[in-house]
Amino acid sequence: MTAVKRIAVLTSGGDSQGMNAAVRAVVRSGLYFGLEVFGVQRGYQGLLNNDIFPMDLRSVGDIIQRGGTVLQSARCKEFMTLEGQQKGADVLRSRGIDGLVVIGGDGSYQGANKLSKLGIKTMGLPGTIDNDISFTDYTIGFDTAVSVVVDAVNKLRDTMTSHERSSIVEVMGRHCGDIALHAGLASGAETILVPEVPFDMDEVAQRMQSNFEHGKRHSIIIVAEGVGKGEDVAKEIMARCPSYEPRVTVLGHIQRGGTPTPFDRNLASKLGDFAVRKLIEGESDKACGIINNQLTLTDIDLVVNTKSSIDMDMYELAIRLSQ
């Protein structure tokens, strides 16, 4: 006797590479275990609009390699209200849907948490490129976003070396510097600026100047957007080193697009299947994650009230290797 018989899946918030792989896993695992599975178009807004449709094996054919989300996503202010949340629960009940898998970030998790308190069994999957969800080592889309940044830095380095210039690369990460840190270490950036770690702009400028004086033909500075705009960092450096004019590249939403890496596809597949199995076992209001390569469940209340932390060992390693 399963705890759920009909489940739905939605994607919410900013899209991330691997969301489609997660949707595919939820649908195919649900069908494998004899459940009826439905898709919700355009996140919580689609839920309130009753934009819900049945999904079968063919619904998720040929999507594992695609970026974005076939279910689409949208912001929904109405769902932030108690009335909107109640309406969402009522819509699901009217369709006989007793379980919901939500793929998204912190705001998406909070929506799942609210629905669970209204009697809908929910599971949250960490779909965000920022890697800013606690109680999971990696989020779906993070590995791909890092790969996109590293590829861009590799190309910029060719040009910067040819012209003996410095380059400032602004990447996503308003509250979490993981993309900047992981991409910076992988690409050999000379300086990595993240919102979690204080820095001295005088030291940043001095390091860049010293690199050039000691024969380096380029300097790469990666800046997480939570630190500030790349243009502002460039102005600060110019004020201290007028002879070195950095070129600024803002990668923006290009970090969200593209084919998900095998790592993200596999992570999404594992988490999607895990969410379905746990719903069948009667679990609810949980966030699915992976820690030390082990699948984990954590209360969503705890996840949304715990700030993720940056890996300081990796940050210090990046500093040691950037000399």
Side-chain angles (χ1 to χ4, degrees):
M1 184 87 177
T2 62
V4 294
K5 294 186 181 299
R6 284 186 165 194
I7 65 171
V9 57
L10 65 79
T11 53
S12 175
D15 62 303
S16 65
Q17 309 95 323
M19 276 186 165
N20 284 328
V23 170
R24 174 182 180 270
V26 169
V27 172
R28 294 197 168 184
S29 289
L31 294 173
Y32 177 86
F33 289 112
L35 307 180
E36 291 183 70
V37 186
F38 295 80
V40 182
Q41 288 280 16
R42 300 178 185 84
Y44 290 116
Q45 185 62 62
L47 174 59
L48 298 187
N49 294 341
N50 204 355
D51 194 357
I52 302 173
F53 64 99
M55 299 187 78
D56 57 23
L57 292 176
R58 301 286 70 80
S59 301
V60 292
D62 198 32
I63 69 169
I64 193 171
Q65 80 283 4
R66 292 169 57 185
T69 162
V70 294
L71 292 179
Q72 300 178 284
S73 185
R75 306 292 181 185
C76 182
K77 290 185 178 180
E78 183 182 356
F79 194 75
M80 296 178 183
T81 67
L82 291 175
E83 294 78 10
Q85 293 153 15
Q86 185 63 60
K87 180 180 177 182
D90 291 343
V91 167
L92 289 170
R93 270 190 283 268
S94 73
R95 302 292 292 264
I97 295 170
D98 43 16
L100 178 68
V101 178
V102 174
I103 307 168
D106 184 75
S108 305
Y109 274 25
Q110 293 187 41
N113 179 247
K114 300 297 184 184
L115 287 171
S116 74
K117 299 184 187 314
L118 295 171
I120 304 297
K121 293 187 179 300
T122 60
M123 284 285 155
L125 299 190
T128 169
I129 67 169
D130 289 339
N131 209 42
D132 59 349
I133 299 293
S134 57
F135 298 97
T136 185
D137 290 340
Y138 300 105
T139 59
I140 299 167
F142 171 68
D143 186 68
T144 308
V146 170
S147 297
V148 170
V149 175
V150 171
D151 182 61
V153 172
N154 289 343
K155 293 170 181 174
L156 285 168
R157 190 183 293 278
D158 291 343
T159 293
M160 294 304 111
T161 301
S162 298
H163 295 275
E164 296 184 287
R165 287 176 177 163
S166 60
S167 180
I168 294 175
V169 183
E170 181 188 319
V171 302
M172 285 185 169
R174 188 170 292 115
H175 305 293
C176 175
D178 275 16
I179 291 178
L181 174 57
H182 285 247
L185 178 60
S187 61
E190 282 70 30
T191 301
I192 304 168
L193 304 182
V194 296
E196 297 93 335
V197 183
F199 61 91
D200 185 328
M201 189 56 72
D202 289 334
E203 291 182 4
V204 172
Q206 185 177 12
R207 180 186 302 171
M208 189 192 74
Q209 184 170 351
S210 176
N211 285 338
F212 280 111
E213 289 175 351
H214 286 85
K216 273 206 170 186
R217 295 171 58 191
H218 62 265
S219 182
I220 303 289
I221 301 174
I222 297 187
V223 182
E225 63 180 333
V227 169
K229 293 183 178 180
E231 289 288 353
D232 293 335
V233 173
K235 290 176 183 176
E236 292 282 349
I237 290 176
M238 279 289 292
R240 293 164 172 79
C241 305
S243 58
Y244 300 106
E245 182 182 357
R247 298 295 192 268
V248 179
T249 301
V250 180
L251 295 182
H253 285 86
I254 193 174
Q255 295 161 88
R256 291 194 188 280
T259 302
T261 60
F263 180 90
D264 273 328
R265 299 185 204 187
N266 291 338
L267 175 63
S269 298
K270 291 177 183 178
L271 291 175
D273 171 75
F274 186 61
V276 171
R277 289 189 286 112
K278 290 305 173 182
L279 281 174
I280 291 172
E281 292 174 12
E283 295 283 0
S284 178
D285 197 24
K286 302 293 185 183
C288 301
I290 188 164
I291 300 175
N292 295 326
N293 207 34
Q294 297 296 313
L295 295 171
T296 62
L297 279 186
T298 308
D299 290 340
I300 290 181
D301 270 324
L302 182 58
V303 173
V304 298
N305 288 295
T306 304
K307 189 181 186 325
S308 63
S309 57
I310 200 161
D311 186 339
M312 286 304 299
D313 288 338
M314 179 176 280
Y315 182 81
E316 290 166 3
L317 171 63
I319 291 177
R320 291 195 298 272
L321 300 186
S322 66
Q323 306 304 314

